[in-house]
Amino acid sequence: MTRSVYVTGIERGDGRQVVELGVMELLTRHVDRVGVFRPLVHDDPDRLFDLLRARYRLSQPPASASGMSYEEAAALQAEEGSDELVSRLVNRFHEVAREYEYVLVLGSDYADTSLPDELGLNARLANEFGAAVITVVGGQDQNAEAVGAEAHNAYRAYEAQGCDVVAVVVNRAVPGDRAEIAERLASRLPVPGYVLPEDGSLSAPTVSQIVRTLGADVLLGDHAGLSRDVRNFVFGGAMLPNFLPALTEGCLVVTPGDRADLIVGSLAAHSAGAPAIAGVLLTLDERPGPDILALASRLAPGTPVAAVAGGSFPTAAELFAIEGKLNAGAPRKAETALGLFERHVDTAALTDRIAVARSGRVTPMMFEHELIERSRSGRRRVVLPEGTEERVLRAADVLLRRDVCDLTLLGEEDTIRKRAAELGVQIAEAQIVDPQTSPLRERFAEIYAKLRAHKGVSQEEAYDVVSDVSYFGTLMVQEGLADGMVSGAVHSTAATIRPAFEIIKTAPGAQIVSSVFFMCLADRVLVYGDCAVNPDPDAEQLADIAIQSATTAARFGVEPRIAMLSYSTGTSGSGADVDKVRKATDLVRERRPDLLVEGPIQYDAAVDAAVAATKLPDSEVAGKATVLIFPDLNTGNNTYKAVQRSAGAVAVGPVLQGLRKPVNDLSRGALVQDIVNTVSITAIQAQSQTPPTTPAAG
C-alpha cells in the first residue's frame, strides 16, 4: 500500500513551502518513486510543484498532481455537498497513489478561498488518504508564549478530528525566541515539535520576481543577475555624494529613469564592490540613452537594469508587498530552505515517524542525498584552490547553504568577493586565503624545501612554488589546516595531483595512488577503477587498485563484489593481457581472502545475470558485480564515458584513493552538482582519517 504524508497548516502566511521541500528531501533520500498531490489549486502555475519536479527529476505529469481548483471545489460543495467533494478528491489521490511508493500531499493554503471550515476539510482528506500529518504554524512577529499556544491548538485541532499527527513545526519564528518556543513545545505536545527561525533571505524576492510582478522591461542584465536576492530598497532622489552612502549590500536602487548620475554611480559602486547591489529599477517610464546604457553595461556586466511606467511612490507600494517564494527559478532559495530545515529538524526521527521504508534500489539522487547527509554528520573543512571560478563559487554557495562542510577558498579576497557579488552567491561563511600574501607562505616554503631537498629545491624556489594555489592548498591539508582538497575545474589532473604525490604521499599499505568513479545508474551504483590515474598498471598494481576500490566502495555503502575485467572470461582466453588480470585476481584473493572477487571476466558476464548464468554459473560475483576493475586506463576511461553518455549514468569522480589525506580531482567540464558531490565525498573520506582541523589564519 502506498504511504503518504500530509503537510498542512491552520492559516495563510506560515511559509509552509520550507517544510514541504524539506519533507520531499527526506522522502527522496529513501524512496525511488515519490509522487506529489495538491488537492486544491489556484489558477496560477503551481510554482512549488514546478520546483519539486525540476529539483527531484520527477516524471509525474503536472496535470496528475492536483485535484481541482478552489473555484471548482467551492461550487461542487455548494451544489452537491462536502461528501461529494471529498469523494472526488479521494479518487484523484488514489489515481496518483497507484503509481508511486510514497505521496507527499500539499494541504490548502487558506489564501483567497471561499471554502467553509478549510481546516476541517484538510483533516478529513488526510484521514481519507490514510496519511500521516505534519501541521505547520507560522511564528512571524509573535512572542514565544503566543506561538506555543497556537502550536498546541493546531495539534489539538487535527488530533481531535482523528488525524495521525506525527509532528508540529513552527516556522518563521523570531530567531531569539527559538529556544524558548522549542521548550514550550516539548512540554505541551505529545509529538515532536520543531522550530524554524525566520530567515530574511527566504522572504527576500529576487530581481526576476520583481520584474515579473511589476511587468518591468529588462534593459540590461543576465540570468545570474536576475536571480539575485533583493534585501532592501534604496530610493534615489538626493544628489550622488549624498546618495552613495545610503547603498547597502543586496539593495535594489529605485530611481527615476532620467537620473543618469544615480544610475552610473550605483553601478560604479557595485563594480568597486562597495557595496554589491542587486540591480537598478527605473521609474516614470524614462529610459537612459544608448550611451548611458552602454556605459552601465561595461561598469557592471550582468547587473540588472529594468524600467517600469509608474512613479516611485506607487512602485514602492508594490515593491513592499512582494515576498520571496520558492520556485524553480530560484534554486539558491531552495538550498537555503533545506539548510534551515535540516539544521532544526531531527530528520532521522521524522523519517521514522512518517514510516519511510528504504527502497531496495539506489538511484543517483538517493546516492547524492546520502553523500550530503554523511558529510554533514561529521563536519570537516575542505579547501578549494580555484576560488575565483564561477562553478566553484556556485558550488560553495550550495555547500554553505546546506551546511555540508566548512570551506576555505584560495585567491585574492577582493576578487573573490566581487565575483561572488556579481554572481549573486553567498560565501560569507567561507574562509578566504590569498597564497600570495598569506603569512603561511613562508612557513609552507620551509616545509616544501625540506620535502624536496633531495631534488635540489632551494628556499627561494620553494617560496615561489607554494604561491601556486594547488601547492598551497595541498600544504594546508598536509599541515592540518584543512581536512581535504578539491581542485581541477580549471587545472589539469597533473596540476592537481602532482603536489599531493610530492607532499602528502601514499597511505600506509597502499602501493600506488589510484582512482574510482561512482557510476550512478537508474537503479544501482557501480564503482569503476582505475579510470583516471594509472595508464597501464602491472598485476601487483592492479591488485592494489582492486583492494583500494573495494575499501572505497564499502566506505560509501556499496557492498564490494569485485570483477577483474578482461576480454575473456574464466579460462577461455590466454595471452599477456589476460594473464596479468588472472595474476592480479590471485593476488587479491591472497591478500584479502574476505573479499569476493572474480577474474578474468568480461563486462557483460560481470553485470548481466543471464550472461553470467551461461559463462560462470557458480560464481558469487558474476552477474552482480559492484566493483569493476579495468585492466588499463584506456579501457577504463573510455568505458566510463561511454556508459555515462549512452546510459545516462551520473558519474561521480574521479575519487582518488591511496593518499594519506584526501585530495580529489575534478573534470574540467565539471558541473556545479559534480563539484558539490566531490566535496561531499572528500569530507566523508576525511572523517575516517583525521579529527576535524582548525582553520588557518589569513
Side-chain angles (χ1 to χ4, degrees):
M1 178 181 174
T2 302
R3 295 183 179 275
S4 58
V5 58
Y6 198 119
V7 181
T8 184
I10 57 174
E11 60 184 356
R12 67 180 303 178
D14 54 23
R16 197 185 320 153
Q17 292 177 321
V18 173
V19 180
E20 292 166 337
L21 182 64
V23 173
M24 188 66 171
E25 182 83 4
L26 292 187
L27 296 178
T28 54
R29 285 179 192 167
H30 301 279
V31 178
D32 178 20
R33 293 181 296 111
V34 181
V36 178
F37 184 67
R38 190 188 293 278
L40 301 174
V41 297
H42 295 284
D43 291 332
D44 299 331
D46 190 337
R47 300 193 187 281
L48 180 64
F49 177 74
D50 290 343
L51 168 62
L52 298 178
R53 193 163 185 262
R55 183 180 183 85
Y56 298 105
R57 306 164 200 162
L58 305 182
S59 59
Q60 182 178 0
S64 75
S66 61
M68 63 182 70
S69 71
Y70 283 94
E71 291 76 11
E72 291 173 316
L76 181 61
Q77 188 174 42
E79 294 172 10
E80 301 186 42
S82 297
D83 288 348
E84 182 60 24
L85 171 61
V86 169
S87 175
R88 293 197 192 181
L89 291 174
V90 169
N91 288 338
R92 288 284 290 156
F93 168 78
H94 284 297
E95 289 174 10
V96 175
R98 280 195 293 270
E99 303 297 324
Y100 300 97
E101 298 173 68
Y102 213 107
V103 178
L104 170 63
V105 185
L106 313 175
S108 67
D109 59 13
Y110 298 88
D112 302 321
T113 68
S114 55
L115 291 170
D117 190 18
E118 200 164 335
L119 188 151
L121 177 61
N122 281 299
R124 184 173 174 187
L125 289 174
N127 289 333
E128 296 290 351
F129 297 167
V133 171
I134 298 173
T135 185
V136 183
V137 173
Q140 190 179 28
D141 300 326
Q142 296 190 67
N143 62 36
E145 182 178 358
V147 173
E150 192 163 327
H152 181 257
N153 291 339
Y155 168 78
R156 290 292 302 274
Y158 282 99
E159 188 270 341
Q161 297 195 53
C163 293
D164 176 21
V165 181
V166 295
V168 176
V169 181
V170 171
N171 189 35
R172 306 187 72 178
V174 176
D177 291 345
R178 199 196 72 80
E180 183 181 348
I181 295 171
E183 289 179 8
R184 290 178 179 272
L185 298 189
S187 65
R188 300 191 66 181
L189 293 176
V191 298
Y194 304 111
V195 185
L196 278 57
E198 176 79 70
D199 186 322
S201 65
L202 286 175
S203 57
T206 62
V207 178
S208 178
Q209 184 183 348
I210 288 173
V211 165
R212 186 171 58 248
T213 303
L214 300 184
D217 294 330
V218 178
L219 308 181
L220 296 174
D222 58 19
H223 176 75
L226 289 166
S227 67
R228 295 175 190 170
D229 290 337
V230 176
R231 301 182 220 165
N232 190 17
F233 302 110
V234 175
F235 294 87
M239 298 303 292
L240 186 61
N242 297 322
F243 174 74
L244 289 178
L247 297 178
T248 58
E249 189 84 14
C251 72
L252 180 70
V253 173
V254 185
T255 181
D258 58 358
R259 289 296 303 272
D261 58 331
L262 300 187
I263 299 168
V264 172
S266 300
L267 295 173
H270 171 87
S271 180
I277 66 173
V280 179
L281 181 65
L282 309 178
T283 61
L284 297 176
D285 208 20
E286 293 281 348
R287 315 293 173 94
D291 291 344
I292 296 297
L293 285 177
L295 176 60
S297 178
R298 290 194 296 272
L299 279 172
T303 298
V305 176
V308 293
S312 294
F313 183 78
T315 299
E318 289 187 84
L319 287 172
F320 286 118
I322 300 173
E323 187 170 321
K325 300 290 184 183
L326 295 176
N327 60 71
R332 289 199 309 278
K333 286 190 185 298
E335 301 295 350
T336 300
L338 287 172
L340 189 71
F341 183 85
E342 289 160 344
R343 278 193 296 274
H344 299 291
V345 173
D346 185 339
T347 54
L350 184 57
T351 300
D352 289 341
R353 291 190 64 81
I354 60 178
V356 181
R358 184 176 291 276
S359 298
R361 288 157 41 104
V362 179
T363 66
M365 182 166 291
M366 292 165 71
F367 183 72
E368 291 172 354
H369 287 333
E370 182 70 15
L371 291 180
I372 288 179
E373 187 69 14
R374 288 186 58 188
S375 57
R376 186 189 291 117
S377 68
R379 198 175 184 89
R380 292 295 188 270
R381 176 172 293 276
V382 177
V383 58
L384 304 177
E386 298 157 326
T388 58
E389 162 61 26
E390 176 179 343
R391 290 165 294 160
V392 170
L393 287 169
R394 291 193 184 281
D397 183 43
V398 172
L399 290 159
L400 293 170
R401 287 176 188 269
R402 295 294 302 278
D403 209 27
V404 173
C405 62
D406 295 316
L407 294 176
T408 297
L409 300 173
L410 299 187
E412 201 275 320
E413 182 167 4
D414 288 345
T415 301
I416 290 175
R417 295 203 182 281
K418 179 181 176 182
R419 184 64 176 137
E422 289 171 351
L423 296 171
V425 300
Q426 295 297 314
I427 57 165
E429 296 178 25
Q431 179 193 37
I432 299 177
V433 177
D434 184 357
Q436 297 289 336
T437 60
S438 171
L440 292 169
R441 184 176 176 181
E442 192 73 44
R443 169 183 160 189
F444 285 175
E446 293 178 9
I447 294 168
Y448 185 72
K450 289 179 181 177
L451 286 171
R452 304 297 289 173
H454 65 289
K455 294 291 185 180
V457 175
S458 68
Q459 178 83 13
E460 291 76 17
E461 290 171 321
Y463 189 76
D464 290 335
V465 169
V466 301
S467 67
D468 176 87
V469 290
S470 296
Y471 277 92
F472 194 94
T474 304
L475 281 157
M476 289 187 72
V477 176
Q478 171 67 11
E479 292 300 294
L481 301 174
D483 298 295
M485 183 180 90
V486 173
S487 188
V490 293
H491 289 85
S492 68
T493 294
T496 298
I497 66 177
R498 185 186 297 114
F501 290 163
E502 294 178 0
I503 297 166
I504 294 176
K505 302 181 179 177
T506 56
Q511 294 184 21
I512 57 174
V513 174
S514 61
S515 73
V516 295
F517 277 89
F518 290 97
M519 301 299 295
C520 302
L521 305 176
D523 60 351
R524 54 185 160 161
V525 176
L526 301 179
V527 177
Y528 284 10
D530 174 5
C531 303
V533 179
N534 297 284
D536 189 16
D538 60 26
E540 291 272 348
Q541 293 171 328
L542 202 58
D544 192 57
I545 292 169
I547 291 169
Q548 288 185 37
S549 300
T551 301
T552 300
R555 182 176 295 160
F556 289 91
V558 178
E559 182 182 353
R561 293 187 291 273
I562 308 169
M564 307 293 287
L565 298 175
S566 177
Y567 60 77
S568 71
T569 294
T571 59
S572 66
S574 62
D577 291 339
V578 179
D579 292 342
K580 178 180 80 169
V581 174
R582 184 174 290 115
K583 181 180 179 182
T585 304
D586 292 339
L587 288 171
V588 173
R589 288 176 176 145
E590 177 185 318
R591 295 173 185 173
R592 288 289 304 274
D594 57 307
L595 292 174
L596 295 176
V597 59
E598 188 67 69
I601 185 172
Q602 291 162 289
Y603 190 98
D604 58 349
V607 300
D608 189 312
V611 177
T614 301
K615 294 189 174 184
L616 287 172
D618 299 323
S619 173
E620 294 183 88
V621 173
K624 48 192 174 185
T626 57
V627 178
L628 296 109
I629 306 302
F630 296 92
D632 54 59
L633 185 59
N634 181 53
T635 308
N637 192 270
N638 279 300
T639 302
Y640 108 74
K641 289 182 177 177
V643 172
Q644 180 185 32
R645 300 299 178 187
S646 61
V650 176
V652 179
V655 178
L656 298 185
Q657 50 191 17
L659 289 167
R660 288 189 297 113
K661 296 184 178 183
V663 171
N664 282 310
D665 181 36
L666 297 166
S667 163
R668 274 173 280 182
L671 303 176
V672 171
Q673 188 59 46
D674 297 332
I675 301 172
V676 171
N677 289 339
T678 304
V679 171
S680 299
I681 284 174
T682 305
I684 295 168
Q685 287 179 309
Q687 290 170 4
S688 64
Q689 294 182 343
T690 58
T693 58
T694 301

